[in-house]
Amino acid sequence: MEYMYGGTLLRVDLSTGEIRRTPTADYADLWLGARGINSRILYEETTGDTDPLGPENVILFSIGPFTGTMVPGSGRVEIAAKSPVTGFQGMSNMGGYWGPELKYAGYDSVVVKGAAEKLVYISIYNDKVEIRDASHLAGKDTFETQDLIREELKDPEVEVVCIGPAGENLIGYASVQNRLGNAAGRTGMGTVMGAKNLKAIAVRGTRGVRVAQPEKFMELCLEALAEQKPLIGMAKTTDAIGNDPPSWGETLGNYEATQWVKQKELRGGHKPFWEKHKNRQGLGIAGCFNCQVRCMDYYDNSDLGPVVVN
Ligand code: SF4
C-alpha cells in the first residue's frame, strides 16, 4: 500500500511468542479503517464459543488511513476484542498519541492472540518488535507504567498504551490508557489485556506517512480546520462538573440522559471543587494529536501530581 497506510498488520501470539507480519491490503479494500479491519478479523478469528478471557480471544489495536496525517482529530486508536462485559464485539477508542506513532512505525494494527505465562509488554521500534518481561511493572498504575517503560527503553518519545491494577486483576470494565487522560474505557478492553498478561504496548516509529498529493491534501485539511473552528466551543465533552455557561455535551451514564436535573445539587455538594474549577482555570488546556478541540484541562494537584480532566 503506497499511500496513507502503514501497510502491515503486526500479529503477536503471546502463547507461542510468534511475531509475524501480514499485508494490510488483505483487508483494506473491503474493510475501511480501524473499525472495519477490527470487525472483520474478530469475525474471522473468534466464534460464539470464544471465552473473552481465554487465550483464544483476539485483541486488536488499529488505526485508519488518516491517522498520523494532518486530518483534524485523526489521532485516535480503535481497540476491539470479544468483550467480557457483553459477550459480543467489544469496541472502545481513545485519543492521545499512540496511534500516529504506530503508523510511523509502519503498522495499521497490532493483533494480539494467546496469553503469556507471566506479565509482559510488547515493544515496537519500527521493524524491531520484542515481547519483554513486565514482572517489575506488576501493580504499577498507568502513569508509573508509562514512565518506567520510557526509562527502560531510554526514549522519551515512546508512546505507551497500558493497563493498571484493575486490568491485571481482571476487573470487568478495566480501561486501556495512554498519557494522562486518554482512555479506552468501554467494554472491558483492559480486562482482556489483563487476561492475556499483557501490561502494555510501547511503540516508537520514525518513518512518517506518505500522502499522494501533499499540496491538495494540505489545502483540504486547512479547509476542514476552518470549518470546524466555529464549532469548537460546543465540542467539550461530559460536563458533570459544569461549565458556565454549560456546554451542550452534558451526558450521563451510558448516554441514557443528556441533561442531569440533579446537576445543581452536585455543584452544591461539591462546592469547594466547583468553586475551584468553575471557570476551568487549570494550568492550561491539553489535547490529542492534531486535534484543535483540545478538550482537556490540565491541573497540578498537590496530592496527585499532574491531572488532566476531560
Ligand atoms: S482533544 Fe478531545 S476532542 Fe480532540 S481527539 Fe482528543 S478527546 Fe477527542
Side-chain angles (χ1 to χ4, degrees):
M1 317 214 62
E2 281 203 56
Y3 298 112
M4 307 295 271
Y5 284 95
T8 305
L9 310 182
L10 181 65
R11 289 178 171 268
V12 180
D13 188 326
L14 292 176
S15 294
T16 63
E18 183 190 33
I19 296 168
R20 63 194 176 92
R21 295 159 177 84
T22 58
T24 309
D26 290 349
Y27 293 94
D29 284 349
L30 277 178
W31 310 99
L32 181 66
R35 275 194 188 170
I37 289 177
N38 282 359
S39 302
R40 182 62 192 174
I41 293 179
L42 262 189
Y43 178 76
E44 286 174 346
E45 300 186 19
T46 60
T47 70
D49 294 329
T50 300
D51 174 1
L53 299 184
E56 66 272 27
N57 198 4
V58 53
I59 184 165
L60 304 103
F61 303 77
S62 299
I63 53 178
F66 286 162
T67 309
T69 71
M70 261 193 70
V71 172
S74 56
R76 303 193 68 87
V77 182
E78 181 74 22
I79 306 177
K82 188 167 178 186
S83 166
V85 179
T86 65
F88 294 107
Q89 177 172 350
M91 299 195 298
S92 191
N93 69 76
M94 69 199 301
Y97 290 77
W98 189 89
E101 209 60 44
L102 186 70
K103 174 72 67 77
Y104 303 151
Y107 304 100
D108 300 297
S109 184
V110 183
V111 187
V112 184
K113 276 188 146 174
E117 276 177 17
K118 52 183 188 163
L119 200 63
V120 295
Y121 76 94
I122 297 169
S123 164
I124 302 166
Y125 186 95
N126 296 333
D127 287 338
K128 186 178 172 195
V129 180
E130 297 172 290
I131 301 170
R132 298 177 70 119
D133 175 50
S135 47
H136 58 300
L137 301 173
K140 301 290 183 201
D141 68 31
T142 58
F143 305 147
E144 294 172 294
T145 298
Q146 294 178 67
D147 288 345
L148 288 167
I149 288 178
R150 283 195 197 99
E151 262 173 43
E152 186 172 316
L153 298 177
K154 298 184 176 51
D155 187 344
E157 304 288 323
V158 165
E159 289 294 333
V160 180
V161 288
C162 62
I163 55 171
E168 286 177 50
N169 289 296
L170 307 186
I171 302 300
Y173 45 83
S175 64
V176 183
Q177 300 282 146
N178 173 230
R179 294 212 174 183
L180 286 176
N182 296 107
R186 294 182 185 187
T187 63
M189 297 297 96
T191 317
V192 177
M193 281 181 75
K196 294 187 175 306
N197 265 326
L198 176 61
K199 179 72 174 170
I201 305 178
V203 63
R204 176 85 168 96
T206 59
R207 292 179 166 145
V209 52
R210 294 187 68 210
V211 172
Q213 298 173 44
E215 281 170 22
K216 182 69 184 166
F217 187 76
M218 171 89 85
E219 191 187 304
L220 291 171
C221 289
L222 291 173
E223 225 176 86
L225 283 165
E227 290 270 335
Q228 191 189 51
K229 198 158 191 167
L231 304 173
I232 287 177
M234 291 162 45
K236 298 290 180 186
T237 48
T238 308
D239 198 15
I241 62 166
N243 277 321
D244 201 5
S247 73
W248 64 273
E250 293 173 0
T251 54
L252 285 171
N254 245 342
Y255 282 72
E256 66 265 27
T258 53
Q259 290 285 332
W260 189 14
V261 288
K262 288 188 176 290
Q263 183 166 335
K264 274 204 164 67
E265 284 174 34
L266 175 69
R267 287 180 187 180
H270 293 72
K271 206 167 177 195
F273 185 82
W274 168 246
E275 283 303 324
K276 189 168 175 194
H277 298 307
K278 64 183 176 187
N279 296 319
R280 303 188 76 135
Q281 291 166 333
L283 292 179
I285 55 171
C288 305
F289 173 89
N290 201 18
C291 178
Q292 66 176 342
V293 176
R294 301 183 66 73
C295 67
M296 305 166 200
D297 296 318
Y298 178 82
Y299 299 94
D300 194 2
N301 181 300
S302 50
D303 298 327
L304 299 173
V307 176
V308 167
V309 179
N310 72 344

PDB file of all heavy atoms in Angstrom, residues 1 22 29 38 74 81 97 109 121 137 152 160 163 185 204 214 217 226 228 286 304:
ATOM      1  N   MET A   1       0.861  -1.178   0.000  1.00  0.00           N
ATOM      2  CA  MET A   1       0.000   0.000   0.000  1.00  0.00           C
ATOM      3  C   MET A   1       0.897   1.227   0.000  1.00  0.00           C
ATOM      4  O   MET A   1       1.700   1.386   0.897  1.00  0.00           O
ATOM      5  CB  MET A   1      -0.884   0.019   1.233  1.00  0.00           C
ATOM      6  CG  MET A   1      -1.467  -1.312   1.568  1.00  0.00           C
ATOM      7  SD  MET A   1      -3.097  -1.189   2.276  1.00  0.00           S
ATOM      8  CE  MET A   1      -4.030  -0.452   0.992  1.00  0.00           C
ATOM      9  N   THR A  22       1.526  -9.380   8.296  1.00  0.00           N
ATOM     10  CA  THR A  22       0.723  -9.678   7.101  1.00  0.00           C
ATOM     11  C   THR A  22       0.342  -8.342   6.460  1.00  0.00           C
ATOM     12  O   THR A  22       0.277  -7.307   7.146  1.00  0.00           O
ATOM     13  CB  THR A  22      -0.541 -10.490   7.450  1.00  0.00           C
ATOM     14  OG1 THR A  22      -1.321  -9.747   8.388  1.00  0.00           O
ATOM     15  CG2 THR A  22      -0.200 -11.847   8.046  1.00  0.00           C
ATOM     16  N   ASP A  29      -9.143  -2.987   1.232  1.00  0.00           N
ATOM     17  CA  ASP A  29     -10.037  -2.632   0.131  1.00  0.00           C
ATOM     18  C   ASP A  29     -11.504  -2.770   0.527  1.00  0.00           C
ATOM     19  O   ASP A  29     -12.351  -1.981   0.138  1.00  0.00           O
ATOM     20  CB  ASP A  29      -9.768  -3.519  -1.094  1.00  0.00           C
ATOM     21  CG  ASP A  29      -8.493  -3.077  -1.796  1.00  0.00           C
ATOM     22  OD1 ASP A  29      -7.987  -2.002  -1.440  1.00  0.00           O
ATOM     23  OD2 ASP A  29      -8.015  -3.816  -2.670  1.00  0.00           O
ATOM     24  N   ASN A  38     -10.842  -4.235  12.313  1.00  0.00           N
ATOM     25  CA  ASN A  38     -11.069  -4.929  13.589  1.00  0.00           C
ATOM     26  C   ASN A  38     -12.277  -5.859  13.502  1.00  0.00           C
ATOM     27  O   ASN A  38     -12.236  -7.007  13.953  1.00  0.00           O
ATOM     28  CB  ASN A  38     -11.337  -3.900  14.707  1.00  0.00           C
ATOM     29  CG  ASN A  38     -10.070  -3.234  15.200  1.00  0.00           C
ATOM     30  OD1 ASN A  38      -8.989  -3.539  14.724  1.00  0.00           O
ATOM     31  ND2 ASN A  38     -10.210  -2.332  16.148  1.00  0.00           N
ATOM     32  N   SER A  74      -7.436  13.119  13.881  1.00  0.00           N
ATOM     33  CA  SER A  74      -7.212  11.783  13.334  1.00  0.00           C
ATOM     34  C   SER A  74      -6.209  10.973  14.162  1.00  0.00           C
ATOM     35  O   SER A  74      -5.605  10.047  13.658  1.00  0.00           O
ATOM     36  CB  SER A  74      -6.715  11.891  11.891  1.00  0.00           C
ATOM     37  OG  SER A  74      -5.547  12.697  11.848  1.00  0.00           O
ATOM     38  N   ALA A  81     -12.118  -6.440  20.796  1.00  0.00           N
ATOM     39  CA  ALA A  81     -11.929  -7.842  21.199  1.00  0.00           C
ATOM     40  C   ALA A  81     -13.316  -8.365  21.507  1.00  0.00           C
ATOM     41  O   ALA A  81     -14.269  -7.587  21.615  1.00  0.00           O
ATOM     42  CB  ALA A  81     -11.048  -7.946  22.452  1.00  0.00           C
ATOM     43  N   TYR A  97      -1.584   9.890  21.553  1.00  0.00           N
ATOM     44  CA  TYR A  97      -0.515   9.978  20.548  1.00  0.00           C
ATOM     45  C   TYR A  97       0.016   8.620  20.112  1.00  0.00           C
ATOM     46  O   TYR A  97       0.945   8.544  19.311  1.00  0.00           O
ATOM     47  CB  TYR A  97       0.641  10.825  21.123  1.00  0.00           C
ATOM     48  CG  TYR A  97       0.265  12.287  21.248  1.00  0.00           C
ATOM     49  CD1 TYR A  97      -0.554  12.724  22.283  1.00  0.00           C
ATOM     50  CD2 TYR A  97       0.693  13.221  20.313  1.00  0.00           C
ATOM     51  CE1 TYR A  97      -0.938  14.052  22.394  1.00  0.00           C
ATOM     52  CE2 TYR A  97       0.324  14.552  20.410  1.00  0.00           C
ATOM     53  CZ  TYR A  97      -0.490  14.964  21.456  1.00  0.00           C
ATOM     54  OH  TYR A  97      -0.866  16.271  21.550  1.00  0.00           O
ATOM     55  N   SER A 109      -2.184  -2.061  12.484  1.00  0.00           N
ATOM     56  CA  SER A 109      -2.873  -2.777  13.554  1.00  0.00           C
ATOM     57  C   SER A 109      -1.883  -3.668  14.294  1.00  0.00           C
ATOM     58  O   SER A 109      -0.956  -4.201  13.680  1.00  0.00           O
ATOM     59  CB  SER A 109      -3.992  -3.641  12.947  1.00  0.00           C
ATOM     60  OG  SER A 109      -4.732  -4.275  13.958  1.00  0.00           O
ATOM     61  N   TYR A 121       5.249  -7.008  28.246  1.00  0.00           N
ATOM     62  CA  TYR A 121       4.799  -5.932  27.372  1.00  0.00           C
ATOM     63  C   TYR A 121       5.432  -6.085  26.002  1.00  0.00           C
ATOM     64  O   TYR A 121       6.464  -6.757  25.852  1.00  0.00           O
ATOM     65  CB  TYR A 121       5.027  -4.550  27.992  1.00  0.00           C
ATOM     66  CG  TYR A 121       6.435  -4.002  27.986  1.00  0.00           C
ATOM     67  CD1 TYR A 121       6.890  -3.172  26.969  1.00  0.00           C
ATOM     68  CD2 TYR A 121       7.302  -4.273  29.045  1.00  0.00           C
ATOM     69  CE1 TYR A 121       8.169  -2.643  26.995  1.00  0.00           C
ATOM     70  CE2 TYR A 121       8.583  -3.735  29.078  1.00  0.00           C
ATOM     71  CZ  TYR A 121       9.015  -2.918  28.050  1.00  0.00           C
ATOM     72  OH  TYR A 121      10.285  -2.383  28.071  1.00  0.00           O
ATOM     73  N   LEU A 137       6.657  -4.410  36.505  1.00  0.00           N
ATOM     74  CA  LEU A 137       5.577  -3.414  36.355  1.00  0.00           C
ATOM     75  C   LEU A 137       4.278  -3.881  37.023  1.00  0.00           C
ATOM     76  O   LEU A 137       3.282  -3.150  37.010  1.00  0.00           O
ATOM     77  CB  LEU A 137       5.308  -3.147  34.867  1.00  0.00           C
ATOM     78  CG  LEU A 137       6.498  -2.626  34.058  1.00  0.00           C
ATOM     79  CD1 LEU A 137       6.145  -2.562  32.571  1.00  0.00           C
ATOM     80  CD2 LEU A 137       6.907  -1.239  34.561  1.00  0.00           C
ATOM     81  N   GLU A 152      13.114   2.576  30.687  1.00  0.00           N
ATOM     82  CA  GLU A 152      13.759   1.307  30.330  1.00  0.00           C
ATOM     83  C   GLU A 152      14.200   1.296  28.863  1.00  0.00           C
ATOM     84  O   GLU A 152      15.269   0.806  28.523  1.00  0.00           O
ATOM     85  CB  GLU A 152      12.751   0.183  30.576  1.00  0.00           C
ATOM     86  CG  GLU A 152      13.302  -1.189  30.400  1.00  0.00           C
ATOM     87  CD  GLU A 152      12.276  -2.243  30.847  1.00  0.00           C
ATOM     88  OE1 GLU A 152      11.647  -2.054  31.912  1.00  0.00           O
ATOM     89  OE2 GLU A 152      12.095  -3.223  30.119  1.00  0.00           O
ATOM     90  N   VAL A 160       2.917   4.758  24.890  1.00  0.00           N
ATOM     91  CA  VAL A 160       2.564   3.505  25.566  1.00  0.00           C
ATOM     92  C   VAL A 160       1.055   3.432  25.780  1.00  0.00           C
ATOM     93  O   VAL A 160       0.451   4.388  26.278  1.00  0.00           O
ATOM     94  CB  VAL A 160       3.258   3.427  26.949  1.00  0.00           C
ATOM     95  CG1 VAL A 160       2.892   2.125  27.666  1.00  0.00           C
ATOM     96  CG2 VAL A 160       4.768   3.563  26.817  1.00  0.00           C
ATOM     97  N   ILE A 163      -2.345  -1.042  30.930  1.00  0.00           N
ATOM     98  CA  ILE A 163      -3.365  -1.221  31.958  1.00  0.00           C
ATOM     99  C   ILE A 163      -2.731  -0.991  33.323  1.00  0.00           C
ATOM    100  O   ILE A 163      -1.507  -1.087  33.484  1.00  0.00           O
ATOM    101  CB  ILE A 163      -3.990  -2.631  31.908  1.00  0.00           C
ATOM    102  CG1 ILE A 163      -2.908  -3.726  31.990  1.00  0.00           C
ATOM    103  CG2 ILE A 163      -4.841  -2.793  30.654  1.00  0.00           C
ATOM    104  CD1 ILE A 163      -3.469  -5.141  32.161  1.00  0.00           C
ATOM    105  N   GLY A 185     -12.260   3.191  27.551  1.00  0.00           N
ATOM    106  CA  GLY A 185     -12.867   2.734  28.800  1.00  0.00           C
ATOM    107  C   GLY A 185     -14.089   1.850  28.634  1.00  0.00           C
ATOM    108  O   GLY A 185     -14.692   1.460  29.628  1.00  0.00           O
ATOM    109  N   ARG A 204       7.385   3.181  18.991  1.00  0.00           N
ATOM    110  CA  ARG A 204       8.108   4.350  18.507  1.00  0.00           C
ATOM    111  C   ARG A 204       8.341   4.136  17.013  1.00  0.00           C
ATOM    112  O   ARG A 204       8.825   3.071  16.585  1.00  0.00           O
ATOM    113  CB  ARG A 204       9.435   4.469  19.253  1.00  0.00           C
ATOM    114  CG  ARG A 204      10.310   5.600  18.766  1.00  0.00           C
ATOM    115  CD  ARG A 204       9.935   6.905  19.430  1.00  0.00           C
ATOM    116  NE  ARG A 204      10.955   7.903  19.151  1.00  0.00           N
ATOM    117  CZ  ARG A 204      10.863   8.796  18.145  1.00  0.00           C
ATOM    118  NH1 ARG A 204       9.795   8.818  17.361  1.00  0.00           N
ATOM    119  NH2 ARG A 204      11.838   9.656  17.939  1.00  0.00           N
ATOM    120  N   PRO A 214       0.356  15.918  -1.691  1.00  0.00           N
ATOM    121  CA  PRO A 214       0.523  16.644  -0.421  1.00  0.00           C
ATOM    122  C   PRO A 214      -0.061  18.054  -0.434  1.00  0.00           C
ATOM    123  O   PRO A 214      -0.689  18.473   0.545  1.00  0.00           O
ATOM    124  CB  PRO A 214       2.035  16.684  -0.220  1.00  0.00           C
ATOM    125  CG  PRO A 214       2.581  15.632  -1.097  1.00  0.00           C
ATOM    126  CD  PRO A 214       1.625  15.411  -2.206  1.00  0.00           C
ATOM    127  N   PHE A 217      -3.821  17.894  -0.403  1.00  0.00           N
ATOM    128  CA  PHE A 217      -4.203  17.334   0.897  1.00  0.00           C
ATOM    129  C   PHE A 217      -4.144  18.417   1.976  1.00  0.00           C
ATOM    130  O   PHE A 217      -5.062  18.585   2.780  1.00  0.00           O
ATOM    131  CB  PHE A 217      -3.250  16.179   1.225  1.00  0.00           C
ATOM    132  CG  PHE A 217      -3.624  15.401   2.445  1.00  0.00           C
ATOM    133  CD1 PHE A 217      -4.675  14.493   2.409  1.00  0.00           C
ATOM    134  CD2 PHE A 217      -2.929  15.553   3.630  1.00  0.00           C
ATOM    135  CE1 PHE A 217      -5.025  13.763   3.540  1.00  0.00           C
ATOM    136  CE2 PHE A 217      -3.273  14.831   4.760  1.00  0.00           C
ATOM    137  CZ  PHE A 217      -4.315  13.934   4.708  1.00  0.00           C
ATOM    138  N   ALA A 226     -10.793  25.086   9.261  1.00  0.00           N
ATOM    139  CA  ALA A 226     -11.536  26.351   9.285  1.00  0.00           C
ATOM    140  C   ALA A 226     -13.035  26.095   9.490  1.00  0.00           C
ATOM    141  O   ALA A 226     -13.703  26.816  10.236  1.00  0.00           O
ATOM    142  CB  ALA A 226     -11.298  27.112   7.981  1.00  0.00           C
ATOM    143  N   GLN A 228     -14.318  23.636  11.065  1.00  0.00           N
ATOM    144  CA  GLN A 228     -14.527  23.093  12.409  1.00  0.00           C
ATOM    145  C   GLN A 228     -14.415  24.174  13.484  1.00  0.00           C
ATOM    146  O   GLN A 228     -15.078  24.094  14.524  1.00  0.00           O
ATOM    147  CB  GLN A 228     -13.455  22.017  12.639  1.00  0.00           C
ATOM    148  CG  GLN A 228     -13.639  21.152  13.848  1.00  0.00           C
ATOM    149  CD  GLN A 228     -12.403  20.289  14.074  1.00  0.00           C
ATOM    150  OE1 GLN A 228     -11.271  20.776  14.095  1.00  0.00           O
ATOM    151  NE2 GLN A 228     -12.617  18.998  14.252  1.00  0.00           N
ATOM    152  N   ALA A 286      -5.142  20.810  27.190  1.00  0.00           N
ATOM    153  CA  ALA A 286      -4.366  19.770  26.523  1.00  0.00           C
ATOM    154  C   ALA A 286      -5.274  19.042  25.549  1.00  0.00           C
ATOM    155  O   ALA A 286      -6.498  19.154  25.627  1.00  0.00           O
ATOM    156  CB  ALA A 286      -3.801  18.793  27.558  1.00  0.00           C
ATOM    157  N   LEU A 304      -2.078  14.504  43.857  1.00  0.00           N
ATOM    158  CA  LEU A 304      -1.957  13.516  42.789  1.00  0.00           C
ATOM    159  C   LEU A 304      -0.866  13.835  41.771  1.00  0.00           C
ATOM    160  O   LEU A 304      -0.508  12.990  40.970  1.00  0.00           O
ATOM    161  CB  LEU A 304      -3.291  13.404  42.022  1.00  0.00           C
ATOM    162  CG  LEU A 304      -4.503  12.960  42.831  1.00  0.00           C
ATOM    163  CD1 LEU A 304      -5.759  13.067  41.999  1.00  0.00           C
ATOM    164  CD2 LEU A 304      -4.311  11.524  43.287  1.00  0.00           C
TER     165      LEU A 304
END
